[in-house]
Amino acid sequence: MKSLRNVWALLALVLAVSCELPEQQEQEQPEPVQPAAPMEFNITSANPMVVLAEGGDYAISYSITSPDENLEVYASTEVDWIRIKGDEGDNKVHFAVAANELEQSRSTVIVVTYDRDYKIVVNQAGANRGPQEILSNLTHDVDMVMTGDDLSTYAFADYWGGTYGDGRGMWQFWFVDVVNRQMICLEILTDSQGTVPTDELYIPTGQFITTNDVYTYDVLVPGYRTTDIDGLYDGGSWFTQLETDVQEEAYAPIDEGELNVSYDSRNESYYITFDLLDDAGNKITGVYNGSVTIEDFRY
């Protein structure tokens, strides 16, 4: 009997241990390792950035999730009016902007590089105008009615690519009235066509309006006079006429108005109108119907 009690006690002990062992093993399981968050780099400041005409110190803010110890943040630009100062350990790329002494605004791109290139557009306003000088010496309204059916009018669309350096493409529409010795150049900023071959360029259509928002698309650029390394330079949109027996020589910067361009695919011709004012308040209107020759000035 004594030995039987010992067997039962031994079985009870084995059962107790076998019941506790899974529970003990379960408690001793290590916690699963959570996968690390993927590396992610983000620009957190405004893009595009707008800086004052007088310049100053600015910064591009960024954030990095799970930084890669083999990568560094650095920045670059191709213009001399911005000086990159670098990262001061505060997740910001600091840079200094020189004052813009011209009335014309200017734009460029700062490239911030980490795992790839991040492009930040910087737009700087032009210097504040004083009392505006009237550049036009036109003394009357002008109405240009033109057609491409004969040799009395020539129409060109010149593509200059990204001349303004802010991603937009610049076109200049030229209308030359041979009989009346008049010419108008209307400059627009619209979607860039990149580096496509010349034979793949297409003339932009739609409405193009002067605006105070110099960073928008589909804008008609007013005429202006500025200074470059060669001296005085007339840019933007201008009307000119040569002296004849019935008219004096005249030139007039376009101050405001709109240009409308449409294309008739059946006749393969353009219908173009403009309704403008120069800086002296003279009205300059026009209509053109016919073909337009594309000229590529990117290269």
Side-chain angles (χ1 to χ4, degrees):
M1 253 338 253
K2 182 176 180 181
S3 60
L4 184 60
R5 282 199 300 271
N6 291 339
V7 170
W8 281 114
L10 181 60
L11 286 174
L13 178 60
V14 169
L15 288 174
V17 170
S18 64
C19 291
E20 292 177 0
L21 186 56
E23 181 179 354
Q24 183 178 3
Q25 288 178 341
E26 182 178 351
Q27 291 176 350
E28 292 176 355
Q29 286 289 334
E31 291 292 329
V33 177
Q34 297 295 327
M39 189 278 294
E40 185 176 3
F41 183 94
N42 288 300
I43 300 295
T44 57
S45 52
N47 188 13
M49 298 184 68
V50 178
V51 301
L52 300 177
E54 54 266 32
D57 292 328
Y58 294 86
I60 300 168
S61 302
Y62 63 86
S63 65
I64 308 177
T65 302
S66 300
D68 188 329
E69 61 181 13
N70 297 315
L71 300 177
E72 294 183 1
V73 177
Y74 67 93
S76 62
T77 186
E78 296 181 353
V79 298
D80 58 5
W81 49 274
I82 287 182
R83 178 172 58 87
I84 304 296
K85 294 182 175 181
D87 191 333
E88 299 178 0
D90 54 358
N91 279 19
K92 293 181 180 179
V93 174
H94 297 262
F95 62 97
V97 181
N100 186 2
E101 298 179 357
L102 304 178
E103 293 181 359
Q104 186 70 10
S105 62
R106 58 187 180 184
S107 298
T108 192
V109 171
I110 294 178
V111 178
V112 176
T113 302
Y114 189 65
D115 57 314
R116 63 177 178 85
D117 290 342
Y118 300 81
K119 295 181 178 181
I120 295 88
V121 176
V122 179
N123 297 319
Q124 185 177 28
N128 293 329
R129 293 184 178 184
Q132 185 175 353
E133 176 187 5
I134 301 299
L135 300 177
S136 174
N137 66 345
L138 190 64
T139 58
H140 55 83
D141 294 343
V142 174
D143 186 24
M144 303 176 70
V145 179
M146 303 164 288
T147 177
D149 294 338
D150 52 37
L151 299 179
S152 65
T153 302
Y154 295 93
F156 302 92
D158 296 348
Y159 186 54
W160 294 86
T163 302
Y164 281 71
D166 59 3
R168 296 177 293 181
M170 187 185 91
W171 287 84
Q172 289 180 337
F173 288 91
W174 292 84
F175 302 98
V176 183
D177 184 340
V178 177
V179 174
N180 295 306
R181 310 291 297 275
Q182 294 175 333
M183 178 176 67
I184 191 166
C185 171
L186 299 176
E187 181 177 305
I188 67 167
L189 295 172
T190 186
D191 293 320
S192 171
Q193 296 183 28
T195 58
V196 301
T198 301
D199 59 2
E200 294 183 17
L201 289 174
Y202 59 88
I203 296 174
T205 58
Q207 185 180 56
F208 306 91
I209 305 175
T210 56
T211 174
N212 291 327
D213 182 1
V214 296
Y215 310 124
T216 190
Y217 282 69
D218 298 335
V219 60
L220 175 63
V221 180
Y224 61 90
R225 177 167 294 166
T226 187
T227 303
D228 62 12
I229 59 175
D230 297 319
L232 288 177
Y233 168 76
D234 292 339
S237 304
W238 284 75
F239 167 83
T240 58
Q241 69 181 22
L242 300 181
E243 183 178 2
T244 67
D245 293 339
V246 296
Q247 70 186 18
E248 296 180 349
E249 181 182 26
Y251 48 86
I254 303 307
D255 192 57
E256 61 179 85
E258 67 179 58
L259 166 70
N260 292 277
V261 181
S262 61
Y263 180 63
D264 183 350
S265 59
R266 291 174 298 176
N267 298 319
E268 297 184 346
S269 65
Y270 291 86
Y271 182 71
I272 301 173
T273 64
F274 48 86
D275 188 356
L276 314 163
L277 292 174
D278 71 1
D279 63 348
N282 297 302
K283 194 169 185 179
I284 302 173
T285 55
V287 176
Y288 175 79
N289 189 14
S291 61
V292 179
T293 301
I294 292 178
E295 297 181 314
D296 189 351
F297 285 92
R298 289 175 295 176
Y299 311 110

